[in-house]
Amino acid sequence: MFTAFTVRCCWAVILGGFLLPPLSAHAQAQAVVTGVVMDEGSHPVPYANVQLAGTLLGAATDATGHFRFAAPVSGAHQLHASAVGYRRTTRPVQLVPGDTVRIQFTLAVDTVLLEEASVTASAYTVSGTDGTMDPLEAVTTPGAMGDLFRALQSFPGVAQVGDGAGLYVRGGDLSETKTVIDQSTLHHPYRYESPAGGSFGTIRPFLAEGTTFSTGGFSARYGNALSGVLAIDTKDQPDARRFRGNVGLAAVSLGLDTPLLDEQGGLRVTGNRSFTGFLFRLNGQRDDFETAPQGLDGTLSLTYDYEGGQLKAFSFARRNRMGIETAAGAFHGLFRSRSTNQLHSLQWSTRRDTWIGRTSVAYSRYGSRDRFGALDVEPVEATYQFRSDWDRALGSRFTLSGGVVAMREQSAFRGTFPARPGRWGEDAARLRIDDQLAATRTGGYVELDTDVRDRIRLTSGIRADHHSRAQETTLDPRVAIAYQFGEQTQARLAWGRFHQFPDLETYAQHAGTASLGAQQAQHWTATLRHRRGPFRLRLAGYLKPYRALVVPTGDATYANVGSGIARGIDAFTKYGGFLETRLSGWLSYSFVQSRRTQVRQRGADVTLERGPAPFDLTHQVTAVGKVRVVDMLFAGFTARHTTGQPVTPVVDALPQGDGTYAPVEGPVGSERLPVYRRLDLQLSYYIPLGPGQHLTVYAAVNNALDRANVIDVTYTPDYRTRTEQTTNFRRSLYFGLTMTL
Amino acid sequence: MRTALMIALLFLFSTAPLAQAQPADSLMHHGLDVLERGVTAGDVDAMQQARAAFERVATAADDAAQAHYYVALANYRIATRILDSDEDRADALIDDGIDRLDAAIEAQPASAEAHALLSTLYGLKARGGMFSGMRYGPRADGAIERAQQLAPENPRVLLLHAVSLLNKPSRWGGDRDGAIAALNRAIQQFEAAPPSDDAFQPRWGHADAYAWLGIAHMNGGDPAQARAAFEQALAVRPGYSWVESGLLPQLAAK
């Protein structure tokens, strides 16, 4: 009866009997996980997903926010809770078979923590953060003249000095804000450069997929910038073929976007010819120009997507020229400038497991010839850059970032400079320079972003930079902590140390023996953000002490002996968005006090003195409004009121014996220009032509009230008579049309 | 041989709690069943439960593309159901659905199903009027074009293209006749589609095609054709709440 097979079966059953009971017991005595998921207002979150990390074990909450599930595992585990519209939250749990673990989750509304005054731009993304501006918002901002930099000037913390497009961030100089494109620094981001920056930014808004504008307390990711960073990511590959055209009073442009290689690749190409002569003639403002500003530029972007990454090649080249009658101090003359600017970069983006990396190499070159009296210079700058940034999520609470940068700058300076500050005349003493310089900057950073508790996020990082010409290594720790009050309010405190090395032009002009080192600033910032429906509100206060600033100390000598302090308050409120709400707009207010060491000329002598910086514009209020009037007709305005710019008056003049005079200046920044006010209007009509195709006709009146805003003062050669120099941007009409097919 | 059989039996017994017949698949099946029932009954709670099941798979599984697709599908079903009553939540679900489909497409770029559903979600984002249409319309068009390139005869691609043609304003390319033609073609394809070996291959849409065909006829002033289509929808999916309690009474009220 008992065959061998039966015996084996019995053994199997017996063996199974030994093995199965513990497993069965284990299955019967599972740990039970139960609890509730609430929002920050203590309301239940129905249908949230609660799940043991790395397993399928979990449950959805019911309509009352409660959940319960059995877990046939034991020991320490992580329990996630997530729901649409909320930030995922993780809690540790210790599971013991037979026990019941009770957990309460409080989910915070999903918010994105951004840098100070972040401007997140993407043509189709509404990030929901305050200070959001996409390219469409930028080009439809009246007075911005379709320029991203000018649109950014309507934000708080950015002083608009005179008529320029320069970004003077929180009491800092123009050179203290860096522009980065696809990881590569663009050293000359302005067109038609002037002391106030330039007339426009180099990068056109619709080339940008995403833009982050950081006005303080920014990440260790960015170095060699004392005040701000404008980081622009150019667009990725297009999803459809599109032709774009624009014809306006001052420019004609064409563009083509097309997918390539069965949509694995993409091409974007643009060409633009700008000519302001007709615009100025039409508006009766041609007189000052010997050559009206004009230029030619083009961009080319090629992308290739492969499994796990993307390669992107981006090139832009620009050529500009202009000539204008202008004045500096007592000298009146013709300023002529022509320049070429180009940037070529290759970027590799990849995702490997939990790592996300971006690495780029770039070459940029800027060359110009500027002539004005004794000034006749032909600088050429070439830069080779390598940069690699990597991010890795470590669990659900930590993100580790790190990266390196290496930059080789080569500059050739040839020409003549005035030997004495402020002495521009054709017959003024000149300093001849024919010099070539090179410097290498290398740097690296590590940053850890930590979700400390459900409401608290801590970001801490450190970066180091070395500059071969300064022969100095700097170390910059930075830390920021953010706290989420309820669903709609966030507070953030940040502190950091920031260094910036002098540019090569300063090294070239420096004839002294002492080396010039890095300049330093500290940022202390406190920010409060609140959002409610379509409203955004942001309040920020900051304190920024400077030290080791490079200032002129005599004839062709400089030293790190300057210091300064900037403090201020930024307030910003925004309602809606263009094309999102019928009415939209924002109101920004900046209060700033910026004092720093400056040169005071007393005849032949030069002394250093601390006083209000030229960009110390105490109060600046900007209001921007846009409205859909009827059907697809849009109207908008930008109104701006800014405290007058500080100027250093000339109180006397000393004859030099050769028929010229040397100015004797009063206290630096002791007088101010009159208040700057301006109103810009814009009207546009949008005509859809079909899916993805449209025609927009637009007209703008800039400086509609025709105010003769004063932007500088000039003097007669003997300094006895002072004249206020008024804006070149009096009331002017501009119109044109753009078409996308 | 018998020893091997015994060892296999023993192994089967001893590993039963671990195997659980491939729990990810089991959870997916559960989610699909619950979603099916929820959609038929118009039961948002059931759809939410199904969504949660898909999300658990999407979070834990190595190959999560299909789970992401079904989370997005559940989001679409829920969002269309609550659009009028809770627009904010519907918007959040649509946004989440778009993210899910982006993830699915990143893993499987040639998934026509994912591109087509993505187009529909963009279409829902564009529903807010001209402003939203200008923002999201081109994206919706791009996604459905991509889906058509990948699988022009896929019945859900045809269905969702038709839905897009029906919902778009004519100046953006809306075309009711074109939609009817696409829906009829979709119905043909649904009826001709051979059974798939892959249990998780999308199968939904047959009754929806009839329902949308009915809507097209109803909006075109042809109540008889509309009723016939709605009845066909109920024949394919008996008790389909959307048709039974929503569209048919709406037709009767006209």
Side-chain angles (χ1 to χ4, degrees), chain A residues 69-102:
Chain A
F69 64 93
V73 291
S74 62
H77 290 268
Q78 299 286 321
L79 190 65
H80 300 312
S82 60
V84 173
Y86 294 89
R87 193 144 50 93
R88 190 165 88 154
T89 300
T90 303
R91 301 280 300 274
V93 287
Q94 187 70 34
L95 300 181
V96 177
D99 282 3
T100 297
V101 181
R102 287 186 174 75

Side-chain angles (χ1 to χ4, degrees), chain A residues 5 8-9 20 23 47 49 51 55-56 58-60 82 84 123-124 134 263 578-579 628 632 686 690-691, chain B residues 2 6 13-14 23-24 45 48-49 51-52 55-56 59-60 92 130-131 134-135 139 141 146 149 171-172:
Chain A
F5 177 69
R8 283 177 192 144
C9 279
L20 287 172
L23 290 167
Y47 311 110
N49 207 17
Q51 185 169 11
T55 77
L56 292 161
S82 60
V84 173
Y124 294 99
D134 62 23
E263 299 194 2
F578 186 70
L579 293 184
R628 182 173 66 91
M632 298 308 286
Y686 183 92
Chain B
R2 285 170 177 169
M6 281 190 302
F13 276 118
S14 62
D45 289 358
Q48 301 264 27
Q49 296 286 356
R51 184 198 176 280
E55 187 181 349
R56 289 219 295 284
T59 306
M130 191 63 78
F131 303 146
M134 284 155 61
R135 275 185 186 273
R139 290 213 156 188
D141 291 341
R146 180 74 179 129
Q149 286 166 4
R171 62 176 152 177
W172 295 114

